[in-house]
Amino acid sequence: MSKVYSIKTVQKMPISLDQAWDFFSKPDNLKEITPANLGFNIISKHHGSTMYPGQIIEYTVKPILGIPLYWMTEITHVIDKQFFVDEQRFGPYSLWHHQHHFKTIDGGVEMTDIVHYKLPLWILGDIAQVIMVKSQLSGIFNHRYKAVEDRFGAWPGAENKVIFG
């Protein structure tokens, strides 16, 4: 049986909680913080402009050899300006559960992402984790960290850490 993996990232941003929430709670902003080489494209027509529990967002990504993969997530939990959770309903993972937490700190906002994921195909999924998936996810979160810094400014002395569990 394939293992459940986890990722945790923490990023401090020199902006208000309102600014952070406004940006990250709009599905259309996902493309801005996703690496271009993934070919991320929202294809759902009726997902709405702001987040709400039960919201379905459909998109395609091209993580391997430019081959488009369909991915559908549902926003399952939202507490305004505190956290939201997206869960994969259909897509490349057997499990994808992504928590986004926000809290006010002196001088800005701390955003914490916690992802639990499981790959399909049992032992082959575990091999793919070692060969490709772990480094690809690390690259995605590193890109996102830089894109957020470029948009909102860097936190003095901050360093990017993607922690796998």
Side-chain angles (χ1 to χ4, degrees):
M1 183 170 211
S2 180
K3 182 180 175 187
V4 174
Y5 300 95
S6 63
I7 303 167
K8 179 179 179 182
T9 66
V10 177
Q11 184 167 11
K12 295 177 181 177
M13 301 172 286
I15 60 175
S16 71
L17 181 58
D18 286 339
Q19 288 173 294
W21 188 261
D22 184 58
F23 180 79
F24 289 99
S25 67
K26 292 181 179 168
D28 291 339
N29 289 333
L30 279 170
K31 188 168 191 157
E32 185 176 330
I33 59 173
T34 303
N37 68 317
L38 286 180
F40 178 88
N41 187 36
I42 294 178
I43 60 172
S44 52
K45 303 287 187 238
H46 309 290
H47 59 263
S49 60
T50 57
M51 189 181 328
Y52 57 88
Q55 181 180 34
I56 297 291
I57 306 166
E58 299 172 280
Y59 34 88
T60 57
V61 291
K62 300 176 182 177
I64 303 170
L65 302 172
I67 301 167
L69 295 175
Y70 174 77
W71 197 338
M72 175 193 281
T73 58
E74 177 182 356
I75 303 301
T76 57
H77 301 81
V78 178
I79 295 185
D80 191 49
K81 297 182 181 90
Q82 290 183 38
F83 76 92
F84 65 91
V85 177
D86 67 83
E87 295 182 27
Q88 175 190 285
R89 292 294 171 244
F90 298 99
Y93 295 90
S94 296
L95 167 73
W96 180 269
H97 183 274
H98 185 177
Q99 304 171 51
H100 311 253
H101 297 268
F102 301 85
K103 75 176 181 180
T104 300
I105 57 173
D106 284 342
V109 173
E110 182 177 88
M111 176 177 64
T112 302
D113 286 275
I114 302 169
V115 179
H116 289 86
Y117 66 98
K118 184 176 178 181
L119 297 161
L121 304 175
W122 296 30
I123 190 71
L124 294 177
D126 291 332
I127 293 168
Q129 166 72 3
V130 172
I131 293 172
M132 176 183 65
V133 175
K134 183 177 181 179
S135 65
Q136 188 173 52
L137 288 174
S138 183
I140 290 168
F141 278 96
N142 285 328
H143 173 88
R144 179 179 138 171
Y145 190 96
K146 179 73 171 105
V148 168
E149 276 193 343
D150 290 347
R151 180 175 181 87
F152 297 116
W155 189 267
E159 57 183 278
N160 185 18
K161 291 184 182 173
V162 179
I163 303 163
F164 283 85

